[in-house]
Amino acid sequence: MVSTGVVGILVAGLLVACGGDENSAPARAARAFAAALSAQDVNAAAELTTSPSQASESLGMSFAGMHARRVEAQVTETVEYSDGTGSFSMKAVWTWADDREFETVTNGSVRRLSTGWKVQWEPGLLHTGMPVGGRLQMVRTDATPAPKVRNSADRALMQMQAVNDVVIDPTATKNPQRSVNQLAAALKPIAPLVTARVINDKIVANQGGETVAVTLRNPDMKMLAADPERIAGVSVVKGGMLVMTDRRISTPLVGGLTNYWQALRDATAGWAVQQVAPGKAPVRLGGEQGGPAPDIKTTVDVDEQLLLGESVVEVAQPTTMMSFDARSGAIRGMAQNDAAADKTILADVAYPTGSTLDPVFSALDAQTANDGEATERMHKLGLGLTITVPGVVAPGREASRRSVSEAAFRPQDFTATMITMGTLGVSVARSLAGETSSAAPFLIKNSPAKVSGGSLGAMDREVTRRIAAAMTTTARSGDASDITSAPGLRALVGTNGPQGPGWFIGISEGKVIVIYCEDERSGSAALQVAQKYYRLS
């Protein structure tokens, strides 16, 4: 006989059910399995199947790989057969943030065992046609081609290139030091500075785990003395990285530009659900992908950037140098020597100005009636403001910055960033050229700087005239008078005492340069760098 709600026919002596009761034991077993999937409870779902160990492995990997915010599995139809089996259809909807959604419709079966009704485990319950050992995963996808970072001449400054991480795992070799020595020898023709000592230091910093000894481009791999992968414990991981097109260029702007580039990639990233199985290429099952991000057009002048790098390289003191277009405020380049890089000297971190701005404060004193008025006019020149330039700020640095001096006009203990000092130089240059308002620096075209703590704007012409006159005196008969290769030079020079830091701000031939040096004799070092820069220009 057929239970209530089920219609059956007799075929070859067997009763075959053609419908099902939603309260039947097979239906309850299927719904319990779907409920466990919805709860993303791997153990509960696996225990409801005929093969808990296989189900647990596949479900666990799929839930981990899909990392869905929510899963809604629902049994849509069940059929019970007279031979102690049944079948069901199940719809599962996986959802993530941003309304991302992936849906599957699968068919499964249930069996009556001595322990009760169980779902017959098969990978096809996750997706129809899933092979044994298969799993689902949701991955990020990026549009191609990747955007390029372009220089002022609209040529590629930075672009995505294939790279190779040479990785050493000390736990995967019986003689770690021997492997380190062999790896350093293999790398020597292309990376002579990556010595055995350097590799060991990296391993220690990584607490003895897998360590990237060096990252090399594909052409570099051909120049190695030996194949790294033949060294015990060493492997090569292929990937992609945003790198400088011209290897001669080294600039602290790389961090900020990479951050901006990555933000664009993140904004245009897509997603895909894949079926992954051992020994087979991933199969795309669904997802979305928009168009590629636009190229990033910067104001970096390659020749100027190389000149800045050449200018700072010889001094021993930590030295950083920036160049700005005197009319627009466009950042033409930024360079620093190894000593400055080791101390993480940054363009948007405030440092003491010492005597450097004395002519500026004198000009403000002469033209203003009180501190409030002086502060407002100081802001118009860029001082006392926080100026955030897109492409200059590097990842994760915002919280660690030292802030600029407060808005109040207080010459003593004043601090400024290289960005605000550059803004001052540009403001004076613009005033000399007949412009009436100041301008914020920028690095990426059509991405203006954010100014807070006050505002730029209309400048006091008499204040800028007095500052320019003092700068001319410094260049002709003052501390910068030895610089003879800079036509029409106007300069501010100063230090914060014997231990520095020392500053140089120069205006000449349509450019503003800012030099910041630290440690003993930093004022002399700043003048030395300026001298070389103007001699090579």
Side-chain angles (χ1 to χ4, degrees):
M1 297 295 293
V2 181
S3 61
T4 304
V6 177
V7 178
I9 58 175
L10 190 66
V11 179
L14 295 175
L15 184 65
V16 180
C18 301
D21 182 351
E22 64 178 14
N23 291 317
S24 67
R28 292 196 300 271
R31 288 202 304 272
F33 178 72
L37 293 182
S38 298
Q40 300 190 54
D41 189 332
V42 173
N43 292 332
E47 288 299 322
L48 292 169
T49 71
T50 57
S51 181
S53 60
Q54 292 182 18
S56 178
E57 181 179 4
S58 187
L59 290 172
M61 290 191 298
S62 290
F63 283 134
M66 291 288 271
H67 48 86
R69 173 180 291 182
R70 186 170 64 254
V71 178
E72 294 182 1
Q74 181 181 5
V75 174
T76 58
E77 182 182 2
T78 58
V79 176
E80 180 181 2
Y81 303 103
S82 61
D83 62 350
T85 65
S87 63
F88 65 92
S89 296
M90 182 174 65
K91 174 182 175 182
V93 180
W94 305 70
T95 57
W96 298 266
D98 304 324
D99 297 325
R100 297 177 179 182
E101 186 176 285
F102 175 71
E103 180 180 308
T104 63
V105 176
T106 57
N107 296 314
S109 59
V110 290
R111 292 173 56 193
R112 184 170 54 204
L113 304 180
S114 60
T115 54
W117 286 87
K118 300 288 185 179
V119 172
Q120 178 72 40
W121 172 251
E122 56 178 316
L125 289 168
L126 288 169
H127 188 269
T128 301
M130 176 86 76
V132 174
R135 59 185 174 87
L136 296 177
Q137 67 177 17
M138 193 274 274
V139 298
R140 168 187 169 132
T141 60
D142 287 299
T144 55
K148 295 178 180 179
V149 179
R150 296 188 173 275
N151 61 30
S152 60
D154 204 32
R155 296 188 180 93
L157 177 69
M158 303 173 71
Q159 62 185 22
M160 188 83 159
Q161 286 192 6
V163 295
N164 304 268
D165 286 338
V166 181
V167 180
I168 182 167
D169 184 357
T171 65
T173 173
K174 295 180 180 179
N175 191 334
Q177 189 55 54
R178 181 181 179 185
S179 294
V180 167
N181 294 339
Q182 291 177 337
L183 179 56
L187 297 175
K188 189 173 181 180
I190 191 66
L193 298 181
V194 184
T195 61
R197 180 177 179 179
V198 169
I199 296 172
N200 278 326
D201 288 345
K202 290 184 176 183
I203 291 173
V204 170
N206 208 33
Q207 300 180 340
E210 283 191 341
T211 300
V212 178
V214 68
T215 300
L216 300 174
R217 309 182 201 207
N218 284 345
D220 297 335
M221 296 294 290
K222 299 177 182 179
M223 300 177 65
L224 298 180
D227 182 356
E229 291 191 294
R230 293 192 174 186
I231 301 171
V234 177
S235 60
V236 176
V237 180
K238 297 184 180 296
M241 179 183 292
L242 184 68
V243 299
M244 278 289 173
T245 304
D246 189 334
R247 299 186 188 212
R248 299 174 299 166
I249 294 177
S250 175
T251 173
L253 296 173
V254 165
L257 287 172
T258 300
N259 185 34
Y260 191 95
W261 177 88
Q262 188 61 56
L264 273 186
R265 292 273 278 176
D266 292 345
T268 57
W271 63 282
V273 173
Q274 296 176 335
Q275 175 180 287
V276 182
K280 297 182 179 181
V283 177
R284 187 181 187 277
L285 303 177
E288 295 179 359
Q289 177 60 64
D295 288 348
I296 301 167
K297 298 185 178 182
T298 76
T299 58
V300 174
D301 183 301
V302 171
D303 292 335
E304 182 75 0
Q305 179 62 51
L306 292 171
L307 175 59
L308 295 175
E310 184 69 18
S311 300
V312 302
V313 72
E314 291 180 359
V315 293
Q317 291 86 343
T319 301
T320 304
M321 185 176 188
M322 295 187 74
S323 174
F324 303 80
D325 181 88
R327 292 295 294 270
S328 68
I331 296 174
R332 297 165 56 87
M334 179 179 179
Q336 61 185 185
N337 59 13
D338 290 341
D342 290 342
K343 296 188 74 170
T344 319
I345 295 172
L346 306 169
D348 58 337
V349 170
Y351 303 102
T353 59
S355 61
T356 312
L357 297 176
D358 285 354
V360 177
F361 297 135
S362 295
L364 289 166
D365 277 334
Q367 289 301 120
T368 55
N370 53 62
D371 284 358
E373 186 179 351
T375 296
E376 183 179 354
R377 296 188 186 186
M378 180 179 71
H379 287 169
K380 302 306 179 186
L381 303 175
L383 297 177
L385 302 176
T386 297
I387 302 177
T388 304
V389 181
V392 173
V393 180
R397 234 186 42 232
E398 294 83 349
S400 63
R401 294 186 203 157
R402 280 179 271 171
S403 62
V404 297
S405 288
E406 295 179 1
F409 174 64
R410 295 186 302 172
Q412 63 274 20
D413 302 323
F414 198 84
T415 61
T417 69
M418 294 188 72
I419 291 291
T420 54
M421 291 292 248
T423 306
L424 168 65
V426 170
S427 297
V428 174
R430 284 172 61 84
S431 181
L432 291 170
E435 301 288 346
T436 60
S437 62
S438 52
F442 64 98
L443 177 62
I444 297 172
K445 297 176 182 179
N446 301 317
S447 293
K450 176 184 177 182
V451 179
S452 58
S455 63
L456 297 168
M459 299 177 288
D460 186 312
R461 180 62 62 86
E462 183 58 24
V463 169
T464 56
R465 187 196 67 77
R466 287 175 178 269
I467 296 171
M471 294 177 75
T472 299
T473 300
T474 300
R476 289 180 179 176
S477 57
D479 290 340
S481 59
D482 287 341
I483 300 175
T484 58
S485 304
L489 176 65
R490 293 177 171 86
L492 290 173
V493 180
T495 65
N496 192 47
Q499 297 300 316
W503 293 84
F504 179 94
I505 298 110
I507 304 172
S508 176
E509 294 193 305
K511 293 187 288 185
V512 172
I513 64 167
V514 176
I515 302 169
Y516 174 78
C517 297
E518 288 193 349
D519 296 347
E520 203 170 338
R521 295 182 58 81
S522 56
S524 298
L527 287 168
Q528 180 183 341
V529 171
Q531 180 80 275
K532 184 175 183 179
Y533 170 83
Y534 287 120
R535 187 176 71 250
L536 296 177
S537 294

